[in-house]
């Protein structure tokens, strides 16, 4: 006996269905011996069908069933003979279903149209039945002996064109019935697939086929949570105008916001299934029972429902493709994903071996000893006990991870010791005493605020489910806020946030599902009112508090660049959603940096570098999107660069800094100036427009040649001429902090050459000193400070003075010391100037310390939402004195 014959014989021992097939059809046995090494694919299946004589429904049924017999015979032997892995098995079964459905539908449509005429689209093309594969068929992971879940849809109502016309509804309902019967009818040759159409709108009581408009109306008015779960895997297998269908289904399944309500919905759906399993004594069901296939699918799908609208990659349908994404995004630990993936493969392989026995749609472990022995052997075990031990280990892993993901939160706040306080069950004196004991400073005011919330119209008119979640959160919040610094302010800030999001059930659900996130919210709000306001304005960022590993990780700029590009590509053609996605991307990265900043793990200089890199990444992504919108553009890639000035150029951006930019191009095409002006306008609009996700960046373009009255963009040649012949000294000062940020690198290099040439021009130092002093006096006059406090930025000895001193040193000495042209920041340039002997080393170091402290205090005040960056003069007297002393050395007294 050859190896192939032995493989076939062994497989026949473990599959009575295969043994019967080979006994009844000698041609199958012969084909197996010659073709076993070749897996089936859709092309081979189609070739066999095309060769079959098909003239009516009976011959159509025969052709389809003969194909199934051939496919299943080879597939079973390949699987049991270790020639095929799980992906091949499921892909082959899925291909068989798709090829069979399309082949049958093509013939049935032709025969029905011959009698009643064709249904037509408005453009005159033939309208087709859209067969949507649901469940494992939609996910490309069909079982060996599965039923196929189908939904029948068609684009529009109308009437066929024949002598015996039917309405489109009648035509497609009749066609759907015929298709279901051709596929599922039991004949002498068996069946192709059992067909289940109960996932259609209204189930068995609904129409078999439905138009797109009626389907959309159903989803909007009647679609239920379990249908969102089911439609994750929905995939159109036939038909045209599928973009219209996707536009209906996608927003129903995948919400734009993070949908943490999915936890409760999936938890309840699983509970219903579990009750049914117990009622029918199906605990040994490896699909629906504890630790079974369905629990793995639920784990994957709950994260898809929550985040699929925001992360298009999670809209993929196959479970084994989704699970690694959850690990990559930090949504599940790597070991959990590894255990779930391994269990899924084991359980699906087992499922197939159970079905191979008799071609039965079963997922239940056998009771008969002979069948148990076959299953154990086909799964690679010497006995059933060993097999059960491995199975139970996998199921225990699945159950443990399922329970961790779906662990029910405290459903009501009534068990919390502070529940009575929140619910108003205590007398005022008792409530105030309790709050004071917790550490609140003004217990009466806190108690009054709680009473005001309970009686407010905003709270009393909340939907019942939202109010229940709000009530669940409040006792814990009162306790958590009391443990923070400034508990009164912390509680007030978090309450402002909760009142803002109270009508968005998903955000309340997030805080309920993840109680630790409430603690992180409280700490963040306690640390900074600006951060609390930022979170209230962008509540979607609550999701970022769930995983501190990701929250406090240093930004991976290549990965972030790839992620943003993928998002823009996924939303190609939808400018509004692209703009929202880019704003949300910026907010998310900024929030990570903010959390690290408040935790004290991110030095200010590093923070500014990161914020500047983020702006550069955003600008680099914006430019090609804006160029794509320029009509009649003459190049695929513009010869255009964005030059950053000010804080962007000097890599000193803060959280709310605007972007000082100049736009340059180097292109001799006749229409170049016009096209690049439109590009610059589009970039400015892209950045500054207010969308539902807010503003990307405020921009300032006044540093371009001739300021606000000048052209929005300049050619490299025009910019060179302006800088050499017409620019003011203050414009050359600005060049010391300018750099190429995004766009064409050659144009950026040209700018850097111009910049260095201008900065290294010989200058009359006395005249330069006079011009800089005049500009500094003008700025002093424009920022009077009668407060008696020291203005960190504008007062003598402050930030502006340090910047002006550095700019003077560069312009005065770069002709002799080219290293001063490096845009390395004020701190580095002060050190370089000292090393060159241009200023005393001790003075340079003292001013460097002063500049660091000024920026640190300025940043801290902004985080506390201070309106001005002013402090007591005594607090920074030594630093201001150091800056004034160096100023006097360079300029004389101001």
């Amino acid at each position: 006996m050859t190896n192939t014959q032995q493989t076939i014989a062994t497989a026949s021992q473990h599959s009575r269905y295969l043994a019967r097939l080979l006994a009844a059809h000698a041609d199958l046995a012969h084909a197996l011996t010659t073709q076993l090494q070749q897996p089936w694919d859709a092309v081979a299946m189609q070739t066999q069908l095309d060769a079959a004589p098909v003239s009516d429904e009976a011959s159509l049924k025969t052709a389809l069933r003969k194909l199934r017999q051939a496919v299943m015979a080879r597939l079973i032997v390949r699987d049991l003979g270790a020639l095929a892995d799980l992906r091949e098995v499921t892909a082959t079964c899925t291909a068989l279903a798709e090829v069979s459905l399309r082949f049958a539908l093509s013939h049935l449509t032709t025969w029905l149209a011959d009698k009643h005429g064709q249904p037509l689209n408005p453009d005159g093309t033939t309208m087709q039945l859209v067969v949507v594969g649901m469940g494992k068929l939609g996910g490309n992971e069909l079982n060996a002996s599965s039923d196929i879940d189908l939904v029948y849809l068609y684009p529009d109502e109308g009437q066929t064109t024949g002598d015996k016309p039917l309405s489109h509804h009648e035509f497609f309902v009749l066609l759907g019935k015929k298709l279901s019967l051709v596929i599922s009818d039991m004949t002498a040759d068996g069946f192709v697939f059992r067909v289940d159409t109960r996932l259609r709108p209204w189930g068995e009581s609904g129409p078999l086929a439905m138009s797109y408009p009626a389907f959309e109306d159903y989803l909007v008015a009647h679609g239920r949570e379990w249908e969102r779960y089911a439609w994750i895997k929905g995939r159109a297998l036939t038909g045209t105008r599928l973009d219209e269908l996707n536009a209906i289904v996608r927003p129903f399944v995948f919400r734009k916001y993070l949908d943490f309500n999915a936890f409760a919905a999936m938890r309840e759906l699983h509970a219903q299934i579990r009750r049914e399993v117990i009622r029918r004594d199906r605990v040994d069901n490896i699909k629906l029972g504890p630790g079974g296939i369905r629990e793995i699918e639920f784990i994957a799908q709950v994260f898809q429902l929550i985040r699929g609208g925001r992360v298009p990659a999670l809209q993929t349908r196959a479970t084994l493709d989704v699970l690694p994404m959850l690990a990559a995004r930090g949504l599940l630990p790597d070991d959990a994903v590894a255990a779930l993936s391994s269990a899924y493969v084991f359980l699906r392989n087992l499922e197939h071996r159970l079905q191979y026995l008799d071609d039965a749609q079963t997922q239940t472990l056998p009771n008969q000893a002979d069948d148990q022995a076959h299953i154990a052997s086909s799964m690679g075990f010497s006995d059933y006990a060993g097999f059960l031990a491995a199975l139970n280990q996998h199921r225990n892993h699945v159950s443990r991870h399922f329970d961790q993901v779906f662990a029910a939160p405290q459903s009501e706040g009534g068990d919390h010791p502070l529940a009575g306080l929140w619910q108003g069950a205590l007398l005022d004196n008792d409530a105030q005493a309790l709050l004071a004991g917790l550490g609140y400073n003004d217990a009466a005011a806190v108690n009054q605020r709680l009473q005001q919330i309970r009686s407010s119209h905003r709270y009393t008119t909340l939907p019942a489910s939202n109010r229940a979640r709000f009530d669940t959160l409040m006792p814990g919040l009162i306790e958590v806020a009391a443990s923070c610094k400034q508990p009164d302010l912390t509680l007030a800030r978090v309450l402002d946030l909760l009142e803002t999001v109270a009508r968005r059930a998903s955000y309340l659900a997030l805080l309920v599902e993840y109680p630790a996130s409430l603690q992180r919210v409280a700490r963040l709000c306690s640390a900074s009112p600006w951060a609390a306001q930022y979170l209230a304005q962008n509540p979607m960022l609550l999701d970022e508090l769930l995983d501190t590993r990701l929250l406090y990780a240093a930004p991976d700029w290549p990965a972030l660049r790839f992620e943003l590009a993928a998002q823009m590509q996924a939303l190609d053609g939808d400018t509004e959603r692209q703009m929202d996605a880019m704003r949300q991307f910026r907010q998310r990265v900024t929030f990570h940096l903010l959390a690290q900043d408040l935790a004290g793990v991110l030095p200010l200089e590093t923070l500014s570098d990161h914020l500047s890199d983020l702006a550069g990444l955003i600008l680099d992504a914006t430019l090609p999107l804006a160029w794509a919108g320029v009509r009649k553009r003459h190049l695929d890639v513009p010869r255009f660069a964005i030059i950053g000035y000010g804080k962007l150029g000097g890599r000193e951006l803060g959280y709310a800094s605007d972007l000082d930019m100049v736009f340059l191009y180097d292109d001799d095409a006749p229409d170049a100036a016009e096209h690049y002006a439109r590009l610059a306008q589009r970039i400015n609009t892209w950045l500054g427009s207010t969308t539902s996700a807010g503003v990307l960046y405020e921009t300032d373009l006044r540093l371009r040649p001739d300021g606000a009255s000048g052209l929005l963009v300049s050619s490299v040649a025009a910019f060179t001429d302006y800088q050499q012949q017409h620019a003011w000294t203050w414009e050359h000062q600005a060049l010391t902090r300018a750099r190429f940020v995004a766009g064409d690198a050659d144009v950026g290099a040209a700018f850097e050459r111009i910049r260095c040439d201008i900065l290294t021009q010989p200058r009359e130092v006395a005249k330069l000193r006079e011009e800089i002093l005049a500009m500094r006096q003008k700025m002093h006059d424009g920022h009077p400070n009668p407060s008696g406090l020291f203005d960190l930025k504008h007062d003598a000895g402050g930030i502006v003075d340090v910047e002006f001193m550095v700019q003077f040193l560069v312009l005065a000495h770069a002709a002799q010391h080219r290293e001063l042209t490096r845009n390395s920041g004020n701190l580095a340039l002060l050190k370089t100037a000292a090393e060159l002997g241009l200023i005393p080393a001790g003075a340079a170091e003292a001013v460097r310390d002063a500049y660091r402290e000024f920026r640190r205090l300025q940043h801290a005040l902004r985080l506390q939402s201070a309106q001005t960056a002013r402090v007591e003069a005594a607090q920074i007297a030594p630093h201001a004195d150091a800056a004034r002393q160096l100023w006097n050395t360079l300029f004389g007294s101001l």
Side-chain angles (χ1 to χ4, degrees):
M1 183 180 292
T2 66
N3 288 339
T4 296
Q5 291 171 328
Q6 182 60 55
T7 300
I8 296 170
T10 301
S12 298
Q13 292 173 3
H14 298 315
S15 172
R16 290 184 287 267
Y17 168 65
L18 174 64
R20 291 195 299 269
L21 271 183
L22 298 183
H25 304 282
D27 56 326
L28 287 181
H30 175 72
L32 275 178
T33 59
T34 58
Q35 301 172 356
L36 184 59
Q37 301 303 316
Q38 181 66 36
W40 278 99
D41 60 23
V43 173
M45 295 178 198
Q46 187 66 50
T47 299
Q48 176 165 324
L49 287 176
D50 289 342
V54 174
S55 57
D56 54 20
E57 290 186 19
S59 57
L60 175 60
K61 290 178 180 180
T62 298
L64 294 172
R65 283 149 182 77
K66 292 294 185 183
L67 173 65
R68 181 183 190 267
Q69 291 170 356
V71 170
M72 293 307 300
R74 193 190 306 174
L75 180 63
I76 291 172
V77 177
R78 284 183 58 79
D79 188 6
L80 295 178
L83 299 174
D85 61 9
L86 176 62
R87 287 191 182 272
E88 180 187 321
V89 175
T90 55
T92 301
C93 293
T94 302
L96 174 62
E98 292 187 32
V99 169
S100 298
L101 284 165
R102 294 190 185 112
F103 186 77
L105 184 60
S106 175
H107 284 84
L108 293 171
T109 302
T110 298
W111 296 334
L112 194 59
D114 287 344
K115 184 176 181 181
H116 298 287
Q118 291 280 8
L120 300 179
N121 290 305
D123 63 0
T125 59
T126 300
M127 184 180 294
Q128 300 176 24
L129 179 67
V130 177
V131 179
V132 180
M134 305 289 285
K136 289 187 170 61
L137 173 57
N140 287 289
E141 48 193 10
L142 199 59
N143 292 343
S145 186
S146 175
D147 59 3
I148 53 175
D149 295 297
L150 302 179
V151 173
Y152 299 138
L153 300 169
Y154 55 94
D156 284 320
E157 298 292 0
Q159 193 173 53
T160 62
T161 58
D163 294 335
K164 298 179 180 179
L166 296 175
S167 68
H168 286 181
H169 180 74
E170 292 171 320
F171 183 91
F172 288 117
V173 166
L174 183 54
L175 184 56
K177 288 179 179 178
K178 289 179 175 293
L179 180 61
S180 296
L181 287 173
V182 163
I183 298 295
S184 63
D185 239 6
M186 180 63 73
T187 72
D189 296 305
F191 61 94
V192 188
F193 286 97
R194 306 169 189 87
V195 174
D196 190 337
T197 59
R198 291 175 296 175
L199 289 179
R200 68 185 187 269
W202 288 293
E204 290 180 293
S205 62
L208 185 63
M210 181 177 282
S211 69
Y212 285 180
F215 178 57
E216 182 173 21
D217 289 345
Y218 171 83
L219 292 184
V220 171
H222 305 286
R224 290 159 289 181
E225 285 297 321
W226 71 261
E227 289 176 292
R228 291 183 60 210
Y229 148 75
W231 275 91
I232 289 176
K233 292 185 182 293
R235 179 170 61 94
L237 310 177
T238 67
T240 57
R241 298 174 62 179
L242 301 182
D243 287 345
E244 298 174 43
L245 177 58
N246 290 336
I248 294 169
V249 174
R250 188 182 296 113
F252 170 69
V253 178
F254 301 109
R255 306 292 162 80
K256 288 184 179 181
Y257 53 85
L258 292 163
D259 187 12
F260 285 91
N261 289 307
F263 273 121
M266 297 285 274
R267 190 182 291 121
E268 175 56 29
L269 180 57
H270 179 264
Q272 293 175 10
I273 294 172
R274 182 60 57 81
R275 288 193 292 268
E276 186 69 9
V277 166
I278 293 173
R279 187 177 71 83
R280 297 193 178 188
D281 192 22
R282 292 182 177 177
V283 176
D284 280 342
N285 187 301
I286 64 163
K287 177 181 179 180
L288 304 178
I293 296 168
R294 183 57 55 84
E295 290 188 355
I296 303 174
E297 294 172 338
F298 273 25
I299 291 171
Q301 288 162 341
V302 73
F303 289 109
Q304 289 181 279
L305 288 177
I306 291 171
R307 291 180 169 79
R310 290 264 308 278
V311 184
L314 286 175
Q315 295 178 17
T316 189
R317 297 178 177 90
T319 302
L320 281 179
D321 292 338
V322 175
L323 288 173
M325 295 182 191
L326 304 183
R329 296 178 180 276
L331 301 175
L332 281 179
D334 290 341
D335 61 340
V337 168
L340 291 170
S341 299
S342 177
Y344 185 80
V345 171
F346 185 94
L347 292 169
R348 290 300 308 275
N349 282 332
L350 172 58
E351 179 182 39
H352 292 146
R353 280 147 182 75
L354 293 172
Q355 294 171 351
Y356 291 158
L357 286 173
D358 292 301
D359 194 23
Q361 185 187 6
T362 180
Q363 289 92 16
T364 302
L365 296 173
N367 295 320
Q368 299 296 321
D370 287 349
D371 289 348
Q372 292 175 347
H374 285 309
I375 292 300
S377 177
S378 63
M379 288 293 292
F381 294 88
S382 59
D383 56 47
Y384 195 66
F387 156 74
L388 278 182
L391 171 62
N392 289 334
Q393 185 177 40
H394 282 300
R395 293 182 73 171
N396 288 338
H397 286 322
V398 173
S399 291
R400 176 167 55 86
H401 291 302
F402 182 90
D403 290 342
Q404 289 173 349
V405 171
F406 286 97
Q410 184 180 355
S411 58
E412 298 180 0
D415 295 335
H416 196 283
L418 298 179
L421 172 65
W422 162 243
Q423 294 163 0
L426 304 182
L427 296 175
D428 283 349
N429 288 340
D430 294 335
Q432 292 173 24
L434 181 55
L435 289 166
L438 289 170
Y440 287 97
N441 298 309
D442 191 344
V446 172
N447 187 47
Q448 184 179 12
R449 175 71 189 277
L450 296 177
Q451 291 175 350
Q452 288 172 345
I453 292 176
R454 284 199 308 273
S455 61
S456 69
H457 179 75
R458 179 179 291 181
Y459 170 78
T460 57
T461 58
L462 285 174
S465 60
N466 292 36
R467 192 162 62 250
R469 288 185 173 122
F470 198 99
D471 292 342
T472 298
L473 290 170
M474 281 304 303
L477 171 59
I478 296 169
E479 181 180 31
V480 168
S483 66
C484 296
K485 295 178 180 179
Q486 306 181 94
D488 302 56
L489 284 174
T490 301
L491 180 62
R493 292 167 187 170
V494 182
L495 287 174
D496 288 342
L497 170 64
L498 288 184
E499 287 190 284
T500 300
V501 304
R503 289 201 170 272
R504 299 289 294 274
S506 186
Y507 295 130
L508 295 180
L510 181 155
L511 295 170
V512 170
E513 296 286 349
Y514 294 97
S517 63
L518 188 62
Q519 295 180 340
R520 294 171 192 145
V521 168
R523 293 193 193 104
L524 185 143
C525 291
S526 177
S528 167
W530 186 88
Q533 184 180 22
Y534 190 75
L535 192 55
Q537 292 170 343
N538 307 287
M540 66 171 190
L541 296 173
L542 287 168
D543 178 55
E544 303 303 318
L545 295 169
L546 299 186
D547 191 335
T548 54
R549 296 171 306 165
L550 296 178
L551 185 65
Y552 295 116
D556 182 342
W557 295 115
L560 288 170
R561 186 178 299 275
F562 178 81
E563 177 187 336
L564 181 59
Q567 286 188 35
M568 295 301 100
Q569 179 62 38
L571 299 173
D572 187 35
D574 191 336
T575 301
E576 181 179 352
R577 291 188 67 194
Q578 284 180 322
M579 293 177 78
D580 281 346
M582 190 175 287
R583 282 153 175 75
Q584 291 162 356
F585 174 88
R586 185 220 171 185
Q587 291 158 4
R588 178 168 61 83
V589 177
T590 299
F591 187 67
H592 282 224
L593 298 175
L594 175 61
Q596 295 171 40
D597 180 14
L598 294 175
V601 298
L602 196 62
L604 178 56
E605 292 169 46
T606 305
L607 170 66
S608 295
D609 283 343
H610 286 331
L611 290 172
S612 301
D613 288 337
L614 174 59
L617 189 156
I618 294 290
L619 290 171
D620 208 38
T622 297
L623 200 157
L625 295 172
W627 183 242
V630 175
R631 300 179 64 182
K632 299 181 180 179
R633 57 189 180 277
H634 61 294
L635 294 172
D636 291 333
V637 179
R639 298 174 63 181
F640 177 97
I642 300 174
I643 308 301
Y645 275 69
K647 291 183 178 179
L648 173 61
R651 296 179 64 81
E652 292 185 350
L653 282 185
Y655 294 119
S657 298
D658 58 9
L659 302 185
D660 292 299
M661 297 181 295
V662 167
F663 302 126
L664 299 181
Y665 70 91
D666 190 9
D667 190 336
D668 295 331
D671 297 330
E674 179 182 353
H675 289 166
Y676 292 132
R678 289 176 180 168
L679 172 59
Q681 289 171 344
R682 290 185 66 84
I683 291 172
N684 200 43
T685 299
W686 186 283
L687 297 173
S689 294
T690 300
T691 75
S692 61
V695 173
L696 200 50
Y697 287 101
E698 299 290 349
T699 61
D700 190 338
L701 309 180
R702 292 174 295 177
L703 287 173
R704 65 187 187 269
D706 292 317
S709 62
L711 296 173
L712 197 58
V713 295
S714 298
S715 68
V716 168
F719 183 79
T720 303
D721 178 71
Y722 179 84
Q723 291 293 338
Q724 292 176 343
Q725 305 296 329
H726 307 289
W728 295 82
T729 297
W730 67 265
E731 292 178 285
H732 288 174
Q733 288 178 247
L735 274 179
T736 65
R737 280 156 57 89
R739 65 187 174 93
F740 166 67
V741 176
D744 188 302
D746 289 338
V747 179
F751 164 77
E752 185 59 24
R753 289 192 294 271
I754 298 166
R755 174 180 173 276
C756 289
D757 288 345
I758 296 298
L759 295 182
T760 55
Q761 287 179 352
R763 288 177 171 81
E764 185 181 334
V765 176
K767 182 180 180 182
L768 174 66
R769 183 181 287 113
E770 180 182 329
E771 291 173 338
I772 289 181
L773 281 171
M775 176 56 67
R776 184 68 186 98
Q777 185 61 53
K778 185 176 181 180
M779 291 186 67
H780 269 298
D781 294 342
H783 295 86
N785 177 19
S787 68
L789 300 173
F790 182 83
D791 190 302
L792 293 166
K793 181 175 182 180
H794 295 291
D795 279 357
I799 290 173
V800 173
D801 276 6
V802 177
E803 293 173 345
F804 267 52
M805 287 189 286
V806 171
Q807 292 160 11
F808 169 75
L809 289 167
V810 172
L811 294 177
H813 301 290
Q816 296 78 34
H817 304 289
R818 198 173 182 87
E819 55 264 53
L820 287 172
T821 63
R822 289 197 295 265
N823 186 357
S824 52
N826 291 308
L827 294 172
L829 287 170
L830 282 168
K831 184 177 181 181
T832 300
E835 291 170 346
L836 293 170
L838 304 177
I839 55 176
E845 196 58 39
V847 174
R848 278 159 52 88
D849 290 342
Y851 190 68
R852 286 194 189 94
E853 182 63 8
F854 293 155
R855 289 195 62 216
R856 187 191 70 78
L857 290 171
Q858 183 186 53
H859 181 67
L861 287 168
R862 286 174 176 166
L863 286 176
Q864 294 306 315
S865 297
Q867 296 301 307
T868 58
R870 293 172 179 172
V871 298
E872 293 290 342
Q875 182 181 349
I876 47 77
H879 294 302
D881 288 344
R884 282 192 284 262
Q885 288 173 14
L886 183 58
W887 181 275
N888 291 337
T889 300
L890 294 175
F891 296 107
S893 61
L894 185 62

